[in-house]
Amino acid sequence: MTKENQKPTHRDVVPSVINFLSDEMFDGDYKEQPMYLQEIFELLMHTEFGDDILLRQKMLSCLRTSRNLAETLAPFSDNQIHKACASLKINQ
């Protein structure tokens, strides 16, 4: 059976999150992402497309998630996060 045909289990979640954080950490300054998203969303809300309640709810949800991630990782340095992810990273 190929890996694509296997059903993921709850034990697959943590390694996937670790891999995501490890990969994402080096793709821009993730701690600044909430501020970037807020700026983008504020500009978008002043357009015709931004006048949609469902879109606004999705934007707020994305912003909340981004803020929560940044707040969770804020006490740690980039180096600490990198070392933690590298020590736990599982190649998929």
Side-chain angles (χ1 to χ4, degrees):
M1 182 188 287
T2 64
K3 189 171 185 172
E4 291 81 24
N5 293 333
Q6 295 175 1
K7 292 189 178 194
T9 67
H10 68 280
R11 294 175 192 205
D12 297 326
V13 173
V14 172
S16 294
V17 171
I18 290 168
N19 287 338
F20 167 76
L21 289 176
S22 182
D23 293 342
E24 189 66 24
M25 189 178 133
F26 297 105
D27 189 21
D29 189 356
Y30 63 91
K31 291 180 182 179
E32 299 297 321
Q33 291 299 317
M35 185 178 68
Y36 298 156
L37 283 174
Q38 183 173 344
E39 183 179 343
I40 293 166
F41 293 162
E42 285 176 354
L43 290 171
L44 182 61
M45 285 185 191
H46 294 292
T47 68
E48 182 179 337
F49 297 108
D51 193 23
D52 180 315
I53 190 68
L54 294 177
L55 178 61
R56 287 178 182 228
Q57 289 172 338
K58 290 175 185 177
M59 290 188 296
L60 290 173
S61 177
C62 289
L63 187 54
R64 189 176 320 113
T65 300
S66 183
R67 281 186 182 145
N68 288 341
L69 176 61
E71 287 175 11
T72 299
L73 298 176
F76 308 102
S77 70
D78 290 350
N79 194 29
Q80 288 174 310
I81 296 167
H82 173 67
K83 284 182 180 179
C85 289
S87 70
L88 297 173
K89 187 169 183 178
I90 298 173
N91 292 326
Q92 296 181 352

